Amino acid sequence: MTLPRSEISAGDASVVFDAVSKRFAASGGNAAFTALNNVSLTVARGSITGIIGRSGAGKSTLIRLVNGLEKPSGGKVFVDGVDVGELDEAGLRDLRRSVGMIFQHFNLLSSRTVFGNVALPLEIAGMDRRAIERRVRPLLDLVGLADKHGRYPAELSGGQKQRIGIARALATEPKLLLSDEATSALDPETTQSILELLRRINAELGLTVLLITHEMEVVKAVTSDVAVIDKGEIVERGHTFDVFTHSKHETTRALLSGLAGSKLPEAVGRGLKPAAAIGDRAVVRLTFFGAAAERPLISQLIQSVGAEVNIIAGTIDEIGGKPYGSLVVAYGADAETSGKAERFFSENGLVTEVLGYVA
């Protein structure tokens, strides 16, 4: 996804944002503002691509440009080589049949059964009842809800409602699936089941998935590529593993700090100071991957520095099948200990970030 456009041929690109800006005029007492500023991004065909950022960063505006719900103020958006901004109403209808969308709050019709909700876009398209039956039944089976076809949304759990939303989005056999914070309203266990379903859909149907989220856990679990957006600009991009292990922008590092095992205990966070005094300890986040993730790094670090090292937080996980770990440790901030620690980190290929100092 997030490779430079020159590295992805036109035939391999599902979505291209080419120097896209979006400005909203002042209205209703709200001041004019720029939601997106000169965004260039390429989404590879068949990928699961994440766009992550804080609330108000411009994520939802970006995704609404893909299906023509918004038009760019500058630049162009291409879907399968088609300039979305140049389409008339008929062209937009055709585009939206090839672009499915799932939402945070499901958007199901309470008066329709599960079957009826999934069938709705096919009915609107004028498909006959027998053809609708042939299309909807396999989709309900795919999302694991064939036995719920006659139920109504009020009878379903949040996870089941989202599965119905996914089946409905797939009804028109789209080439691209847009997910706008689709797991934000779900509990962690249900979120994992929905992400696993998206992985299956991507693998079995070859569907490109463009996923908008503010949750790094979601990005880590399912995406192959990621772009980080902040204040309407793409500030970092790349393969997910590379961005997690070699993050360069402060926004990315801030988002990563919220992951399990990376977040500082509140008592430690409150006591952090930007500069060290005599006797203080440095608090450092270590990121390690590959073979380093399977080695006894802390015991080796203690031997190297010849001093006590405290583990404050940590986790070992996988990103894209590759081992990845994050540890927050504390050790003496004196020049000798810090120098030995820095040499150890460099020799072992560890990515480090000094978070501050504590007494």
Side-chain angles (χ1 to χ4, degrees):
M1 164 217 94
T2 48
L3 300 175
R5 286 184 60 189
S6 59
E7 296 183 30
I8 297 180
S9 69
D12 292 331
S14 178
V15 181
V16 175
F17 300 93
D18 186 5
V20 171
S21 297
K22 179 62 181 179
R23 294 178 291 276
F24 290 94
S27 64
N30 296 317
F33 74 100
T34 299
L36 298 171
N37 182 33
N38 197 33
V39 170
S40 291
L41 191 65
T42 303
V43 178
R45 193 180 310 281
S47 69
I48 302 181
T49 291
I51 298 178
I52 185 165
R54 301 183 180 96
S55 178
K59 306 185 301 294
S60 293
T61 300
L62 194 66
I63 207 170
R64 287 169 64 85
L65 293 171
V66 177
N67 57 12
L69 292 176
E70 298 283 358
K71 288 186 179 292
S73 305
K76 294 180 181 294
V77 180
F78 298 92
V79 175
D80 283 335
V82 175
D83 184 347
V84 177
E86 295 296 317
L87 295 176
D88 58 17
E89 284 302 315
L92 284 173
R93 284 194 296 272
D94 289 339
L95 171 76
R96 288 166 185 159
R97 280 193 285 270
S98 69
V99 179
M101 189 159 186
I102 54 177
F103 307 88
Q104 178 179 357
H105 297 297
F106 321 128
N107 290 7
L108 302 180
L109 295 178
S110 61
S111 61
R112 278 182 164 252
T113 64
V114 165
F115 185 100
N117 269 284
V118 178
L120 181 60
L122 303 176
E123 294 173 9
I124 293 173
M127 188 176 287
D128 67 70
R129 185 67 186 180
R130 189 171 298 178
I132 289 175
E133 184 86 17
R134 288 196 301 267
R135 181 76 58 81
V136 173
R137 293 291 179 183
L139 288 173
L140 292 179
D141 189 54
L142 174 68
V143 301
L145 291 175
D147 61 333
K148 301 288 192 298
H149 66 93
R151 299 287 186 88
Y152 288 86
E155 303 174 80
L156 304 177
S157 68
Q160 290 171 331
K161 290 176 184 177
Q162 193 56 280
R163 287 172 178 270
I164 296 309
I166 293 171
R168 180 185 56 193
L170 298 176
T172 57
E173 298 182 321
K175 300 176 183 177
L176 172 67
L177 181 63
L178 307 179
S179 171
D180 190 4
E181 299 281 10
T183 60
S184 295
L186 305 176
D187 62 72
E189 184 178 355
T190 305
T191 291
Q192 287 304 312
S193 72
I194 294 299
L195 295 179
E196 180 56 38
L197 176 58
L198 290 178
R199 268 194 295 265
R200 280 184 54 211
I201 289 168
N202 170 255
E204 295 177 14
L205 304 182
L207 195 66
T208 305
V209 181
L210 182 56
L211 185 149
I212 300 295
T213 183
H214 67 276
E215 300 171 293
M216 270 293 189
E217 288 285 359
V218 170
V219 171
K220 175 172 69 72
V222 75
T223 67
S224 56
D225 302 272
V226 64
V228 182
I229 188 170
D230 185 50
K231 299 176 183 176
E233 298 182 353
I234 301 296
V235 296
E236 191 156 5
R237 66 189 74 188
H239 298 305
T240 303
F241 186 85
D242 296 335
V243 171
F244 269 61
T245 55
H246 293 89
S247 58
K248 297 178 176 62
H249 196 272
E250 61 182 19
T251 297
T252 311
R253 291 195 291 268
L255 291 167
L256 284 169
S257 70
L259 286 172
S262 298
K263 190 173 182 179
L264 287 175
E266 285 188 21
V268 175
R270 285 196 303 269
L272 276 183
K273 301 181 293 184
I278 295 174
D280 280 356
R281 300 174 68 76
V283 179
V284 181
R285 177 179 290 113
L286 314 177
T287 302
F288 48 96
F289 40 89
E294 300 171 356
R295 290 169 46 201
L297 290 172
I298 296 303
S299 62
Q300 293 175 358
L301 174 61
I302 292 172
Q303 291 175 13
S304 294
V305 302
E308 183 181 83
V309 176
N310 294 338
I311 299 175
I312 296 174
T315 185
I316 304 293
D317 210 334
E318 284 191 354
I319 302 173
K322 300 178 184 179
Y324 158 86
S326 175
L327 281 175
V328 179
V329 300
Y331 51 78
D334 59 278
E336 182 181 358
T337 302
S338 295
K340 289 179 179 178
E342 288 168 9
R343 284 194 294 276
F344 176 83
F345 301 149
S346 176
E347 290 168 1
N348 288 274
L350 304 182
V351 178
T352 65
E353 179 187 3
V354 177
L355 303 178
Y357 303 89
V358 292

